[in-house]
Amino acid sequence: MGVKSKAALAIVVLLLFLGSLWLQGGLDYHWDSCIKGYNHVNKLHHLYNSSEATVLDGPVVIEVCPGQKFQVSLLLSHLQAGPTDPSDVLLEPYLASWDELVKFMEALGPMVGLISKEVETKTSIIRQLASSPEDNPEAELNPEILPMKTGSEQKPPTHTPAYRSVRSMIRVELEKDMVDFHQQTDSGCRTLLRLHRALLWLKLFLAKLADTPVTGRLRSPSDLCREAYQKSLANHHTWFVRRAAELAFIAMPERNFFFRLVCAQDQVELSFVLTKVVHALEEVYNRTQIALEEHGMLDLP
């Protein structure tokens, strides 16, 4: 085996290891069911923003991007369905948003796509908890209520009140002593924290990608993603994982790829679409941050 082949093999091994440790600690359990009751089959998603769409202009409409698995319109639809009063986030659209973000990461190539597998495992943990017989007695009485699959195979579901939202999940898991503040557990709260940290990384990256400098050239997505990582997930990773992440970012596609991914013609259109996504992400992130902080859960092991 030549030097180049050995180097390539080493990179693949590092990235596989990164995929398992990306969100700080690989998970030992894989679940196949999910929260039920959220229909995310839409062809056109009408996005209302009072500061950008007047009564005369009507709602902003972002159409489905033909021929692509990832749909930015669908992501926005899920994100905007998440926030609910009082300062809470519904878990069904939250997890559905992650389903779409997984498609986004997979579209960036196999190197970044490895990370999405760990995200899918984490969303499945919360979905399994939400559909457990203890919290969903209807599942025991009705055998037709089965664990759902994600993506295109998903069926119209029901959901359980205990895991209806971020705050209801926190409340129930604390009442049941499911959250351990000293060692790792498979609680929904700990799993949510790992997703929450990853959401900050994606939010920062998309915000940087949407930014259009007044002067100078646009920076490469690879550099922007690296900076976003250093300000977010890198703070929770070991030295080895941080170095492996650097390898993954090298394979990041160029900016023109992101134009095609959201059906934008140029940086102006890309900035317009991504700014909407970032605003929606920020609302969900901030509400989750407050809920976790209020219960001292920002540093769960």
Side-chain angles (χ1 to χ4, degrees), residues 92-147:
E92 293 174 18
Y94 177 84
L95 296 176
S97 299
W98 268 115
D99 291 340
E100 208 61 32
L101 287 169
V102 163
K103 297 175 188 176
F104 171 77
M105 288 186 284
E106 290 175 342
L108 302 185
M111 300 303 184
V112 179
L114 286 171
I115 302 165
S116 67
K117 302 305 179 184
E118 187 68 8
V119 170
E120 285 184 303
T121 301
K122 287 180 170 14
T123 57
S124 294
I125 284 182
I126 298 178
R127 284 167 164 152
Q128 174 67 19
L129 289 169
S131 62
S132 63
E134 181 180 356
D135 290 316
N136 190 7
E138 186 180 0
E140 293 182 329
L141 300 176
N142 186 356
E144 294 182 359
I145 300 180
L146 300 174

Side-chain angles (χ1 to χ4, degrees), residues 221 253-262 264-266 270:
E254 295 299 324
R255 189 173 292 265
N256 286 341
F257 174 85
F258 292 91
F259 292 167
R260 297 191 297 272
L261 194 59
V262 301
Q265 297 296 318
D266 51 30
L270 179 70

Side-chain angles (χ1 to χ4, degrees), residues 52-98:
E52 297 176 4
T54 65
V55 175
L56 294 177
D57 295 334
V60 176
V61 178
I62 297 180
E63 299 185 8
V64 163
C65 211
Q68 295 186 168
K69 189 176 180 181
F70 166 71
Q71 296 293 337
V72 67
S73 58
L74 193 55
L75 172 60
L76 271 167
S77 178
H78 295 322
L79 287 171
Q80 294 181 338
T84 183
D85 291 330
S87 188
D88 204 354
V89 177
L90 298 174
L91 278 177
E92 293 174 18
Y94 177 84
L95 296 176
S97 299
W98 268 115

Side-chain angles (χ1 to χ4, degrees), residues 140-184:
E140 293 182 329
L141 300 176
N142 186 356
E144 294 182 359
I145 300 180
L146 300 174
M148 289 172 31
K149 297 180 179 180
T150 59
S152 59
E153 299 180 6
Q154 190 163 350
K155 300 177 182 179
T158 61
H159 66 273
T160 60
Y163 286 82
R164 176 179 179 272
S165 69
V166 167
R167 288 184 177 275
S168 67
M169 179 178 69
I170 291 174
R171 181 177 64 254
V172 168
E173 291 199 342
L174 285 175
E175 290 174 352
K176 295 183 177 181
D177 293 324
M178 294 174 62
V179 184
D180 195 316
F181 290 83
H182 304 290
Q183 61 184 5
Q184 293 184 10

Side-chain angles (χ1 to χ4, degrees), residues 36-55:
K36 307 171 180 180
Y38 190 71
N39 177 19
H40 41 121
V41 179
N42 293 298
K43 293 186 177 179
L44 289 178
H45 307 285
H46 297 255
L47 309 174
Y48 293 84
N49 189 314
S50 59
S51 64
E52 297 176 4
T54 65
V55 175

